Amino acid sequence: MFLDNRSSTGRPDWTCIVVGFTSGYVRFYTESGVLLLAQLLHVDPVLRLKCRTYEIPRHPGVTEQHEELSILYPAALVTIDGFSLFQSLRACRNQVARAAAAGSDVVPPPPLAYKKWGLQEMDTIMDHSSVGVMTLCVFDQMKNASILGGFHASVKGSPPAMSQFVTVGTGPYAGFYYAVEGNSQPLLSHVALAVASKLTSALFNAASGWLGWNKNKNEEEAAQKQKPKVEPATPLGIRFGLPDSRRHGESICLSPCNTLAGVTDDFGRVTLLDLARGAAIRMWKGYRDAQLGWLQVQEERGDREFSPSASLPRRHALFLIIYAPRRGILEVWAMQRGPRVGAFTVGKHCRLLYAGYHLMGVNSVTSQGWQLHTQQVCLLDPTTGALRTINIPFHLALSDKKNERARDMHLLKRLSAVLKSRDMDPVSLEREAKSVLLEIKHPAIKKQALESLLSNRNAPVSCLTNVTSALHDALKQQDADEVEASLLQLCSSQLKLLQLYSDIQQLQSAADTEACSGNQDSLEGIEEELSRVGPALQRYAQLSSKPSVSFAQDSPDTPLSTQAFLTQLECAEEGEVKVNRRSDAEWNQLGNFMFWGCLCGKSPTHKVCDTLQLAGISPQQLLSLLMSVWLQREKEVLQKPVETVRNLHTLLIALSNMDGAVEESWDTQSVSPWWQQVRFTCIQSHNAAAALLAALVAHRAAKASITSRADSKLQSEWEAVSLELEQWVVCVRQLEDVLVLQTLLLVPSPQGTAGGAVVQCSIKTLQEGGTGDTRRKG
């Protein structure tokens, strides 16, 4: 038995352990085993100790239940008020701490008030529950008065407040006791008598020593005189019971709402009692040695958003937990007449932990804003030492077949099972997914089902497109008030991305039949540049083409899945498509999917660029994707440099002609941010050959773009042309030097293979480091 005190931070400050003994004593200890208080309240073995703590009333008019400690004896029941007990235990703890610090004796605590009831008219009592204070309605008051007092019984004006006690055992099987408040005065424990006896004993011992009497004999007589006095119990007759001569009750477990109780018996049955009516309303069989617990679940906040009663307080659901050790099964039942909502196979030697109370010392004032962090029900497995908690969703209590949310959750589980199945063909998957999404009514669950379908790797793009399109059309046909805007926006955006994925995938298989005659003029002189740097590129390719180990899933030729494409792109509210850069590997994979077919000549370049531009992707992000795939696949580029260079030039011209690529208001005294992005990518790249080829192509493309802009304006812009082209000339020369340096670093040592990896260099690393840097390295 544990009584906790809450500190200022809301957590338990200290713990008091209450232990009952066969001698009738009840002793209170700290967590370190220090005795705080010992009481002899009745000369009989203690059978049960139960605690009731403060609960916040969930509805107006509900009787507020106060804290209480109840102690069951074979024929008596002692109740101690929780407030006075809490104050006494705190005072005892402080006194023990002060006495331990000062090295003095502990002063006995003040008297402890309690009530003792003599439970009559029941043969054997095995367990009890103190339900709390209740008030009968006028009809029940008149009924009880007529039954107890007869026809001429008088009825009081106001129903009296009564404390209800329920006991289980034999003769009868369950007994109901009602103690009217005010009929029994609180009794003082033997502490005050013990204090007086101790003082008398001290005076007697001093006088005996002065007179020379026998000290040992007097001490024995004084010890007998100090025997605690036991107060008599107030008789309390049984109001009514559930007679069953063959059934013996073993334990009773009270629900958190104090209206229901579960009772176990020696027949292996679990009986559900309605405490307000005093009747057994349900019984389960086949649960010998069962252990019971209750779990009260509060409705989630999200469940009330689409409910017509969203402004009302959140509902609570009650579940009964039954652990059958003989069968090794843990079951969860919805109350009061609900079905079994869960069953779990556990060990046969577990222990169900259910306290039924929380921190002591809490009232209506201190409970404001109090968040309970303790688990209500736990299952302890002593064989493995595992402690399992039990969490139940609120919607499982809604067992009505017409309940939409319970039905929707069932459909969501069915869709999850279908998506996990590997044996289902795409046609069946599409048919089943479409049926489930159209049947779900709750918008939040429908959105969750659509997201789980779109994130599935096994679903083909045709299936995703058809199912999303069917859902979008169904939402369009509904009333505007019933359709959630976010769900409709999700369908529209995902349809747009799926269509973009399908278009690019179809263009990858189409041959590039575009005429490149328009680019021949702008590419004049590129062959001379390639022939000039050709030997360096060939030497670099020979030295860099060393065998290496790679994994199939990391290959750039791995097809991009629909799920990966949808996770990297998102649609904004304005209709634009934004690419989210999550990792370099995913970024390169997306670039391969979009542009590698164009670079190889297998896809029509202008059709791909037009498709991407119509989707709303910014030209800057497309340029970054193009440069990443070009630099990543350096080995493939060097195998066919002339062909890939021409395709790269075509792509750069097409991207630079997009709206928003090159600014119309181009200052003649500054460089273009568009071409500066390409130049910055080449400067910081470690792939020297691919960066040099990209710089040569970008130089020609920038020159052609500037020339066309100057011709369109019918004026010469020699300053802007010279400034931009001068930047490219310097970049190309630097990249040629880096290529030679990188080739030199790749040459193997004549004395054997070096132990370390090859040093990678770029223009950026050479400019920021080296002996010419005046900054000191730490």
Side-chain angles (χ1 to χ4, degrees):
M1 189 73 182
F2 298 92
L3 301 176
D4 298 333
N5 180 23
R6 189 176 62 149
S7 64
S8 58
T9 59
R11 297 182 179 181
D13 187 15
W14 61 283
T15 303
C16 179
I17 305 174
V18 187
V19 184
F21 295 87
T22 56
S23 60
Y25 268 96
V26 177
R27 293 183 172 91
F28 300 82
Y29 299 90
T30 63
E31 58 269 23
S32 59
V34 178
L35 179 63
L36 297 178
L37 184 62
Q39 301 290 342
L40 180 62
L41 305 177
H42 194 68
V43 188
D44 270 328
V46 177
L47 299 182
R48 298 279 183 172
L49 291 170
K50 291 192 175 182
C51 182
R52 186 179 70 238
T53 52
Y54 177 79
E55 291 286 345
I56 303 175
R58 291 190 283 113
H59 303 287
V62 178
T63 306
E64 190 177 41
Q65 302 296 335
H66 298 282
E67 299 173 330
E68 182 185 76
L69 175 65
S70 59
I71 307 167
L72 179 65
Y73 295 91
L77 179 65
V78 175
T79 59
I80 304 176
D81 180 65
F83 179 77
S84 61
L85 176 63
F86 175 73
Q87 299 296 334
S88 299
L89 292 177
R90 185 169 61 177
C92 292
R93 183 173 178 268
N94 296 336
Q95 176 63 25
V96 168
R98 286 193 297 265
S104 59
D105 296 336
V106 179
V107 178
L112 190 64
Y114 64 94
K115 295 181 181 180
K116 184 192 293 188
W117 306 98
L119 305 180
Q120 299 178 349
E121 303 176 19
M122 190 165 180
D123 297 343
T124 304
I125 300 177
M126 299 299 297
D127 198 0
H128 79 289
S129 282
S130 178
V131 182
V133 179
M134 60 170 296
T135 303
L136 296 177
C137 63
V138 179
F139 176 80
D140 291 338
Q141 181 190 9
M142 296 175 62
K143 180 188 67 174
N144 294 337
S146 61
I147 292 176
L148 297 178
F151 180 78
H152 300 285
S154 60
V155 180
K156 296 182 180 180
S158 59
M162 299 178 294
S163 297
Q164 184 183 18
F165 306 106
V166 182
T167 58
V168 294
T170 58
Y173 162 65
F176 292 79
Y177 294 86
Y178 296 87
V180 179
E181 292 293 320
N183 287 357
S184 176
Q185 297 296 328
L187 303 174
L188 296 180
S189 65
H190 70 285
V191 178
L193 180 62
V195 173
S197 302
K198 187 173 182 181
L199 180 60
T200 305
S201 176
L203 295 175
F204 183 77
N205 291 338
S208 62
W210 177 59
L211 297 176
W213 294 344
N214 189 351
K215 185 177 181 180
N216 295 332
K217 182 178 180 180
N218 294 334
E219 288 180 354
E220 293 177 0
E221 294 177 356
Q224 294 178 359
K225 292 181 180 180
Q226 292 177 7
K227 186 177 181 180
K229 179 183 177 182
V230 179
E231 300 291 345
T234 302
L236 184 63
I238 189 173
R239 178 70 60 87
F240 59 89
L242 300 178
D244 194 333
S245 58
R246 300 180 56 189
R247 191 182 306 274
H248 297 172
E250 295 180 346
S251 64
I252 181 172
C253 185
L254 183 65
S255 67
C257 57
N258 296 335
T259 58
L260 301 175
V263 181
T264 62
D265 54 40
D266 58 343
F267 283 173
R269 266 66 166 174
V270 175
T271 307
L272 183 65
L273 298 183
D274 187 341
L275 302 181
R277 295 162 49 193
I281 59 177
R282 196 168 185 179
M283 181 177 289
W284 295 268
K285 66 177 182 178
Y287 296 89
R288 191 171 297 276
D289 300 331
Q291 302 174 24
L292 307 180
W294 294 91
L295 191 62
Q296 188 170 255
V297 182
Q298 195 174 23
E299 184 179 16
E300 295 88 352
R301 295 186 183 274
D303 298 341
R304 306 287 285 181
E305 296 178 359
F306 306 99
S307 175
S309 58
S311 59
L312 299 178
R314 286 190 288 173
R315 297 173 293 178
H316 290 71
L318 190 64
F319 298 92
L320 176 63
I321 315 297
I322 305 178
Y323 169 58
R326 297 288 185 93
R327 298 158 54 191
I329 187 173
L330 180 73
E331 297 181 351
V332 181
W333 292 82
M335 295 289 102
Q336 299 181 9
R337 306 181 185 275
R340 188 180 72 173
V341 298
F344 310 93
T345 302
V346 295
K348 296 185 177 182
H349 304 284
C350 299
R351 176 70 183 273
L352 189 66
L353 304 179
Y354 173 70
Y357 57 88
H358 308 300
L359 296 179
M360 177 166 279
V362 181
N363 51 34
S364 58
V365 178
T366 59
S367 62
Q368 298 297 329
W370 179 32
Q371 298 293 334
L372 185 63
H373 301 285
T374 57
Q375 299 291 337
Q376 299 185 41
V377 183
C378 299
L379 185 70
L380 176 63
D381 191 351
T383 57
T384 61
L387 184 63
R388 305 175 184 175
T389 60
I390 301 174
N391 298 315
I392 306 174
F394 175 82
H395 68 86
L396 292 180
L398 307 176
S399 59
D400 190 1
K401 295 181 179 179
K402 297 181 180 180
N403 183 266
E404 293 182 356
R405 180 169 177 82
R407 182 172 176 270
D408 290 349
M409 292 300 297
H410 173 73
L411 292 174
L412 180 60
K413 291 181 179 179
R414 191 176 77 181
L415 178 62
S416 301
V418 169
L419 295 177
K420 292 179 181 178
S421 177
R422 299 182 179 179
D423 301 333
M424 184 167 293
D425 58 294
V427 178
S428 302
L429 176 62
E430 178 181 343
R431 182 177 63 254
E432 187 70 19
K434 185 183 299 184
S435 174
V436 170
L437 279 171
L438 294 179
E439 288 182 14
I440 293 177
K441 303 298 182 182
H442 202 278
I445 302 179
K446 190 183 293 262
K447 184 178 180 180
Q448 184 179 357
L450 179 60
E451 290 176 348
S452 63
L453 175 64
L454 295 174
S455 61
N456 185 262
R457 295 180 177 272
N458 300 326
V461 62
S462 59
C463 171
L464 299 179
T465 304
N466 296 335
V467 174
T468 309
S469 179
L471 178 60
H472 184 267
D473 296 340
L475 293 176
K476 282 288 187 180
Q477 297 176 1
Q478 297 180 7
D479 297 336
D481 298 337
E482 299 179 359
V483 178
E484 188 180 1
S486 61
L487 179 59
L488 190 61
Q489 177 65 24
L490 177 63
C491 292
S492 302
S493 61
Q494 297 302 312
L495 276 177
K496 182 178 181 180
L497 296 180
L498 289 171
Q499 186 63 38
L500 177 61
Y501 179 85
S502 301
D503 294 342
I504 298 177
Q505 197 175 39
Q506 291 177 0
L507 291 175
Q508 287 179 350
S509 58
D512 190 3
T513 58
E514 298 176 352
C516 300
S517 60
N519 296 330
Q520 294 295 331
D521 298 336
S522 60
L523 278 175
E524 291 181 359
I526 193 67
E527 289 82 1
E528 298 179 1
E529 295 288 343
L530 290 177
S531 62
R532 182 174 58 86
V533 299
L537 293 175
Q538 185 177 4
R539 180 60 175 168
Y540 174 82
Q542 292 176 355
L543 294 175
S544 60
S545 59
K546 295 181 180 180
S548 60
V549 178
S550 61
F551 297 94
Q553 60 269 20
D554 298 333
S555 174
D557 296 326
T558 304
L560 182 68
S561 63
T562 312
Q563 182 267 342
F565 183 82
L566 295 177
T567 54
Q568 295 185 61
L569 278 76
E570 64 176 358
C571 289
E573 296 181 359
E574 295 80 7
E576 299 178 354
V577 176
K578 180 182 178 182
V579 183
N580 298 322
R581 183 158 188 168
R582 305 170 62 181
S583 64
D584 294 341
E586 294 179 350
W587 186 264
N588 294 332
Q589 192 177 17
L590 181 61
N592 278 299
F593 176 72
M594 291 182 176
F595 295 113
W596 182 242
C598 299
L599 293 174
C600 296
K602 299 179 180 179
S603 302
T605 303
H606 288 284
K607 290 183 180 180
V608 172
C609 293
D610 293 341
T611 302
L612 296 175
Q613 184 179 10
L614 291 176
I617 305 178
S618 66
Q620 286 74 16
Q621 287 190 328
L622 293 177
L623 181 61
S624 178
L625 288 169
L626 175 61
M627 294 303 298
S628 67
V629 65
W630 176 266
L631 297 174
Q632 179 203 15
R633 310 197 68 162
E634 184 183 57
K635 294 182 179 180
E636 292 88 342
V637 168
L638 293 178
Q639 293 176 1
K640 297 179 180 180
V642 178
E643 179 183 353
T644 54
V645 161
R646 290 183 180 275
N647 296 328
L648 177 62
H649 183 269
T650 305
L651 279 172
L652 284 178
I653 292 295
L655 293 181
S656 62
N657 291 333
M658 289 184 178
D659 296 337
V662 181
E663 298 181 358
E664 294 293 335
S665 58
W666 187 357
D667 188 5
T668 57
Q669 298 297 327
S670 62
V671 297
S672 172
W674 173 262
W675 298 113
Q676 179 66 21
Q677 180 182 351
V678 182
R679 192 160 47 247
F680 181 75
T681 305
C682 296
I683 287 174
Q684 64 179 0
S685 174
H686 294 284
N687 299 321
L692 176 59
L693 292 176
L696 292 175
V697 174
H699 183 197
R700 299 292 175 180
K703 182 178 180 180
S705 177
I706 293 173
T707 304
S708 63
R709 290 171 61 87
D711 295 341
S712 63
K713 293 182 179 181
L714 300 177
Q715 61 182 2
S716 60
E717 298 181 357
W718 294 105
E719 295 182 357
V721 170
S722 62
L723 181 60
E724 181 66 38
L725 296 182
E726 182 64 23
Q727 293 279 351
W728 278 116
V729 169
V730 174
C731 180
V732 169
R733 296 306 179 189
Q734 290 177 344
L735 287 173
E736 290 179 1
D737 297 339
V738 171
L739 177 63
V740 175
L741 178 60
Q742 188 66 50
T743 305
L744 179 61
L745 295 175
L746 290 174
V747 175
S749 174
Q751 298 179 358
T753 305
V758 178
V759 179
Q760 298 290 335
C761 62
S762 64
I763 297 178
K764 183 179 180 181
T765 55
L766 293 175
Q767 290 177 346
E768 293 180 352
T771 57
D773 193 0
T774 57
R775 294 172 297 177
R776 300 184 61 182
K777 306 296 181 179

